[in-house]
């Protein structure tokens, strides 16, 4: 692999500057923690599962990934922003399932139940690819029309 190909792969994965990369990783980790704590609080206080609210966090992460890709961040930052709010509640509910005797089977787009991480993995990958592609395409379109 020549030097230009290595630079292209590096730019695609990591982005062009380091400050958006660090900010995106921090926001992704924050979304992981917030959604995990939110799922814990809902379960502890109300013994409820609010999949709709958690889905809104996932959509927020996807929108933040579009914005990060528009600003020149790489695919890894988009992944952190999408996988953070997806696997925050999944981590809590997986722990909760491990402490109970029985748990239901997960439905599509639910965070609770056996098999939920396996159901969410391809959905999150598609969200990462689509959000990163939309952000990069938007940046390219603005640059093309801005320069002419």
């Amino acid at each position: 692999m020549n030097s230009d190909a290595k630079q292209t792969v590096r730019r695609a994965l990591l982005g062009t500057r380091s400050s958006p990369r660090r900010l995106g990783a921090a926001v992704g980790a924050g979304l992981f923690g917030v959604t995990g704590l939110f799922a814990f609080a809902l379960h502890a206080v109300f013994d409820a599962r609010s999949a709709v609210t958690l889905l809104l966090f996932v959509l927020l992460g996807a929108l933040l990934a579009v914005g990060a890709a528009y600003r020149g961040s790489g695919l890894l930052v988009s992944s952190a922003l999408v996988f953070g709010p997806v696997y925050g509640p999944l981590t809590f509910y997986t722990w909760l399932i491990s402490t109970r005797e029985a748990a239901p089977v997960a439905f599509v787009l639910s965070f609770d139940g056996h098999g939920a991480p396996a159901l969410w993995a391809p959905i999150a990958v598609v969200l990462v690819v689509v959000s990163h592609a939309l952000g990069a395409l938007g940046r390219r379109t603005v640059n093309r029309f801005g320069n002419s």
Side-chain angles (χ1 to χ4, degrees), residues 25-75:
V27 169
L31 284 171
F32 176 84
V34 166
T35 55
L37 288 174
F38 186 76
F40 172 74
L42 281 177
H43 181 74
V45 175
F46 301 111
D47 195 26
R49 290 156 186 84
S50 178
V52 174
T53 308
L54 294 173
L55 286 174
L56 291 175
F57 278 114
V58 172
L59 290 176
L60 172 68
L63 288 174
L64 289 173
V66 169
Y70 179 79
R71 288 189 311 270
S73 293
L75 195 57

Side-chain angles (χ1 to χ4, degrees), residues 42-113:
L42 281 177
H43 181 74
V45 175
F46 301 111
D47 195 26
R49 290 156 186 84
S50 178
V52 174
T53 308
L54 294 173
L55 286 174
L56 291 175
F57 278 114
V58 172
L59 290 176
L60 172 68
L63 288 174
L64 289 173
V66 169
Y70 179 79
R71 288 189 311 270
S73 293
L75 195 57
L76 292 177
V77 171
S78 295
S79 298
L81 290 170
V82 172
F83 277 99
V86 168
Y87 278 94
L90 284 176
T91 302
F92 167 70
Y93 286 123
T94 301
W95 169 79
L96 190 64
I97 288 170
S98 71
T99 61
R100 292 190 272 173
E101 292 179 15
V105 174
F107 292 109
V108 176
L109 298 181
S110 70
F111 292 94
D112 188 19

